[in-house]
Amino acid sequence: MHPEAPSQQGDRLTTSTGVPVRDTDHSLKATPRGPTLLQDHHLREKITHFDHERIPERVVHARGAGAHGTFEAYGTASSVCRAAFLAAGVETPVFVRFSTVLGSRGSADTVRDTRGFATKFYTEEGTFDLVGNNIPVFFIQDGIKFPDVIHAGKPHPDREIPQAQSAHDTFWDFVSLHTEAQHHTIWNMSDRGIPRSYRTMEGFGVHTFRVVAEDGTTSLVKFHWKPDLGVHSLTWEEAQLLGGIDPDFHRRDLYDALAAGALPSWELGMQVMPDAEDQLFEGIDLLDPTKLVPEEWAPVQPVGRLTLERGPRNFFAEVEQVAFHVGHLVPGIDVTDDPLLQTRLFSYVDTQLTRLGGPNFNQLPINRPHAPVNDMLRDGFHQQDVHTGVAPYRPNSLDGGCPMHVGADGPALEDLATAIPAGHRVRANPISFEDHLTQPRMFWASLDPVEQDHVVEAYCFELGKCLDQTIVARQAAQLAVIDTELGARVAAGLGLPAPEPTEGDSAPEVVLSPALSQLGRRWPVAGRRVGVVLDPTRRGADAEWDAVRAALEADGVTALLVVPDGALPPQGTEPVADHTLHTARSVEFDALVVADPPAVAGDARYARLLGEAHRHLKALGAWGAGAEELLTLVGDDVGVVTAADPAEAAAAVLDLLAEHRVWARGTVA
Ligand code: HDD
């Protein structure tokens, strides 16, 4: 049983009206072998309720996982933003929901996709929702095209395949016909599309928001979540294998880490830009959600830390019923005229009407503000409140004039008197939205060569799944416009001739943003999983297991005991095996340490365990009898360490794990 989830309370089963039930296992029948009686209210109540247990899944972001936590502000934002929850030392309860975009509620976690990163701050001034993604830009510039891009990404309407995949004709048809979608798509094709964990993802508010300081001055900001564990990804092959071996990999990873006390945390940061009249920053239109502002140009300034502390007690009540909305803003934070954001302001309430069955979804326990609510919204489906008073309108004389407006000086929803540009009513984008290629070019050029290899492989995989070859050729040509080498490499991978260089794009000026690469830094390893292959029945193995486990756990790493066949210790004795070689697969571990090879030399599963981990650039360590076998199986390669004892082997592996993978080993499929 989950430690957070107490068992069902109460000693007697009752109906929904509280009447004790004597027998819930047999329906009421005319005789034991006769027809069931309509009068069996308990039967009908039980079946009817069951028949209606499901609600519509989210139209996008249906698959997800959520957790509760706390946000503590540093106070560093207060010079630009008067929101109370950003003041120094203020602690705010939060609920975060991570998600994939395209798949259905039961789809696999590790698919290649954008991840949602939605945070509900229950602040004392009302609820603030930061509804972001793990990618800082979006596919489209105007929300009117959201149904189009989602229709293209979702399964084909005739056969409803593929599930949770962008690797199909309609998605690439859309992308290849929309240069504005190329930037978000190249992020998806990079390692960002297959995170190692929700705990190792960045989050981005994407849009530019307008914040207001105490003195009324305004700034334009972009919100960032920076994971304390660093930004890490799976390899594509790991992601594919996990889709079958553990489709709940990310959900399990989050809840296992919380249960183990490895509490995931992120720093909230803000890029602060002047609220200039043209809303441009260094030539970048801040209203264009397909553009990011390089961190080198506007540093991400830390303003607080989010720590997740516990999973949901009830998944449906909390994770499924949580309702986010970009319009849930607090005093000090306002929207901008970004046309994607403007459309979102409509969509998020609207969708809950269907999904949660009416307009009172903010009364559900997970959505209830922690600030006092005194609205004049009344009645409607599933109304939970028993409102008092007779005059839910303003002004009134019958309820003493209540509720009052907040005075001019009090904190309130921002209605900033921002300037509206002069001009005519049009269906059009500004000219400053027209450059779609500088930033995908910057992204590609800023990646490490290993990361570039992954991008090429991802495009080849995805386009290789397309049936319509005109779509494939069109997208390859688009890639060549982004970068000639990228286009040529993808075309070669697909067996196509290199696309002809496009006039005017042959020597584009490339801006670099080193912050876009995930490589080149060292990170804490807390919450990672290291498999230890050890025969606990061998003499002296107990002490070795204790030593290796202690060394791993000292850094917050979970040690998992993998026992060779026939070495399963008797039940009830220590150590308890987590896996046998039958049940262990390399993708469930971040690194491996081996002490004892299997009794049968050349055991194929053992060779696969180590060979796969080696191919996925994982750190491999060994001591004792394991050392020779390891070197035989994978060779004396970089990131393969043999040590004198368990503690030394563990230390060497942890050192390598701090860089996530042994990148020097080469590329990986
Ligand atoms: Fe959205 C859900 C993030 C554009 C319409 N969106 C949803 C969720 C996330 C995002 C994380 C899941 C929330 C949860 O966990 O419950 N969406 C984004 C980002 C966008 C974006 C970062 C662009 C920067 N979305 C976007 C547009 C529209 C929508 C342009 C419509 C015009 N999004 C929705 C929605 C969803 C949603 C239909 C589905 C379920 C829900 O809202 O509650 O309203």
Side-chain angles (χ1 to χ4, degrees):
M1 192 179 63
H2 191 285
E4 293 284 347
S7 58
Q8 188 138 4
Q9 298 297 299
D11 58 356
R12 288 181 311 180
L13 179 72
T14 73
T15 64
S16 67
T17 44
V19 180
V21 172
R22 199 161 276 132
D23 176 356
T24 192
D25 302 325
H26 302 91
S27 55
L28 196 63
K29 304 179 194 83
T31 62
R33 304 187 68 227
T36 300
L37 298 177
L38 183 64
Q39 77 176 70
D40 187 349
H41 167 70
H42 175 54
L43 165 74
R44 281 186 290 119
E45 178 181 81
K46 188 171 172 180
I47 299 300
T48 302
H49 197 280
F50 167 76
D51 288 344
H52 299 273
E53 274 178 12
R54 300 285 173 270
I55 61 171
E57 66 174 30
R58 288 169 175 81
V59 59
V60 285
H61 296 265
R63 170 75 185 175
H68 297 267
T70 304
F71 175 78
E72 185 173 0
Y74 301 153
T76 42
S78 297
S79 56
V80 292
C81 180
R82 62 188 173 201
F85 82 101
L86 291 173
V90 174
E91 290 189 13
T92 302
V94 297
F95 186 76
V96 177
R97 184 173 179 274
F98 304 107
S99 49
T100 51
V101 179
L102 290 176
S104 286
R105 197 183 150 193
S107 57
D109 279 342
T110 58
V111 296
R112 184 178 291 284
D113 197 356
T114 307
R115 299 298 185 285
F117 190 142
T119 310
K120 195 176 273 298
F121 298 80
Y122 303 92
T123 92
E124 62 194 37
E125 291 181 325
T127 304
F128 171 52
D129 289 350
L130 185 56
V131 198
N133 281 340
N134 75 327
I135 290 178
V137 291
F138 205 65
F139 289 108
I140 47 167
Q141 297 172 309
D142 187 324
I144 197 169
K145 293 190 69 66
F146 191 66
D148 303 303
V149 65
I150 298 303
H151 289 168
K154 284 276 187 181
H156 288 215
D158 47 2
R159 297 189 290 169
E160 216 196 344
I161 52 175
Q163 177 59 240
Q165 301 266 327
S166 54
H168 56 100
D169 281 8
T170 52
F171 178 76
W172 288 101
D173 191 28
F174 183 93
V175 170
S176 62
L177 291 169
H178 289 80
T179 43
E180 74 194 68
Q182 295 291 343
H183 191 197
H184 189 155
T185 306
I186 195 168
W187 279 75
N188 282 112
M189 295 304 114
S190 79
D191 293 345
R192 305 281 180 147
I194 40 173
R196 156 66 181 84
S197 160
Y198 293 135
R199 301 178 290 134
T200 61
M201 294 187 328
E202 276 179 298
F204 302 92
V206 180
H207 310 285
T208 304
F209 290 81
R210 181 174 276 106
V211 291
V212 197
E214 206 54 67
D215 65 2
T217 53
T218 58
S219 311
L220 298 178
V221 303
K222 282 184 179 282
F223 291 104
H224 293 242
W225 289 114
K226 297 267 183 200
D228 286 334
L229 297 178
V231 192
H232 306 302
S233 296
L234 298 168
T235 72
W236 182 220
E237 191 182 58
E238 277 183 295
Q240 290 172 302
L241 289 170
L242 282 165
I245 290 168
D246 187 4
D248 305 302
F249 184 71
H250 285 148
R251 191 180 280 188
R252 190 186 310 283
D253 169 273
L254 176 66
Y255 297 142
D256 280 356
L258 290 169
L263 305 185
S265 53
W266 287 258
E267 237 177 10
L268 181 66
M270 275 161 61
Q271 286 181 298
V272 183
M273 280 83 57
D275 193 356
E277 201 183 329
D278 59 6
Q279 295 167 81
L280 299 181
F281 179 76
E282 303 287 342
I284 296 170
D285 193 331
L286 296 175
L287 301 189
D288 178 353
T290 66
K291 304 283 189 326
L292 57 83
V293 174
E295 292 184 26
E296 293 79 6
W297 301 6
V300 178
Q301 302 175 38
V303 301
R305 171 167 274 111
L306 157 73
T307 308
L308 292 182
E309 288 147 354
R310 64 176 176 88
R313 289 211 164 82
N314 181 281
F315 197 92
F316 179 84
E318 297 169 277
V319 186
E320 199 55 19
Q321 295 204 115
V322 68
F324 294 94
H325 177 26
V326 279
H328 290 160
L329 298 162
V330 287
I333 305 178
D334 201 1
V335 295
T336 55
D337 296 338
D338 170 344
L340 194 72
L341 177 55
Q342 292 281 319
T343 315
R344 292 180 77 192
L345 290 170
F346 166 72
S347 187
Y348 285 75
V349 167
D350 189 45
T351 200
Q352 314 306 349
L353 301 180
T354 298
R355 197 171 75 77
L356 297 171
N360 291 312
F361 53 86
N362 273 331
Q363 297 180 1
L364 290 165
I366 192 67
N367 297 324
R368 276 190 182 252
H370 291 200
V373 173
N374 196 17
D375 62 26
M376 292 193 293
L377 310 175
R378 290 294 179 271
D379 308 345
F381 280 115
H382 318 302
Q383 177 61 253
Q384 306 292 308
D385 287 345
V386 182
H387 292 107
T388 52
V390 295
Y393 54 82
R394 264 195 53 83
N396 72 66
S397 60
L398 293 174
D399 280 344
C402 292
M404 306 296 182
H405 283 155
V406 69
D409 297 336
L413 266 183
E414 301 293 352
D415 299 309
L416 298 169
T418 45
I420 304 281
H424 296 99
R425 208 164 57 131
V426 285
R427 286 192 185 274
N429 277 342
I431 291 166
S432 50
F433 277 33
E434 279 178 9
D435 169 21
H436 300 155
L437 298 174
T438 305
Q439 292 219 340
R441 210 167 262 156
M442 169 176 75
F443 181 74
W444 163 257
S446 302
L447 296 183
D448 183 275
V450 175
E451 295 174 303
Q452 289 186 335
D453 290 348
H454 296 173
V455 170
V456 170
E457 281 151 13
Y459 276 117
C460 290
F461 176 92
E462 297 258 324
L463 292 167
K465 294 271 183 180
C466 291
L467 303 176
D468 187 325
Q469 293 310 305
T470 42
I471 294 173
V472 177
R474 193 164 60 217
Q475 177 58 22
Q478 289 277 6
L479 295 178
V481 178
I482 293 171
D483 183 276
T484 316
E485 185 202 335
L486 170 63
R489 288 179 64 185
V490 172
L494 294 164
L496 298 173
E500 292 292 321
T502 316
E503 203 185 327
D505 283 307
S506 49
E509 192 187 326
V510 183
V511 183
L512 291 183
S513 171
L516 297 176
S517 170
Q518 295 178 214
L519 270 56
R521 293 175 62 185
R522 294 175 63 80
W523 299 99
V525 291
R528 297 307 194 93
R529 296 157 63 87
V530 175
V532 180
V533 185
L534 180 136
D535 176 355
T537 60
R538 175 172 54 76
R539 223 186 144 122
D542 281 20
E544 292 182 24
W545 166 246
D546 286 346
V548 73
R549 190 173 57 170
L552 294 171
E553 287 182 352
D555 277 9
V557 169
T558 303
L560 296 152
L561 178 62
V562 183
V563 299
D565 288 4
L568 208 56
Q571 268 209 335
T573 58
E574 291 283 332
V576 178
D578 297 288
H579 288 283
T580 64
L581 277 183
H582 276 293
T583 63
R585 194 68 193 253
S586 74
V587 289
E588 296 170 86
F589 310 109
D590 292 293
L592 283 166
V593 193
V594 295
D596 296 299
V600 186
D603 185 315
R605 289 156 311 151
Y606 191 63
R608 185 181 65 187
L609 183 72
L610 298 188
E612 216 166 56
H614 179 258
R615 192 165 73 249
H616 297 151
L617 312 185
K618 289 179 179 166
L620 292 164
W623 80 91
E628 197 180 323
E629 177 95 356
L630 175 64
L631 294 179
T632 312
L633 282 173
V634 303
D636 186 8
D637 201 355
V638 53
V640 179
V641 285
T642 55
D645 59 51
E648 196 183 297
V653 160
L654 290 178
D655 185 50
L656 292 163
L657 197 52
E659 289 178 26
H660 181 51
R661 284 182 206 277
V662 184
W663 298 109
R665 204 179 282 156
T667 192
V668 64

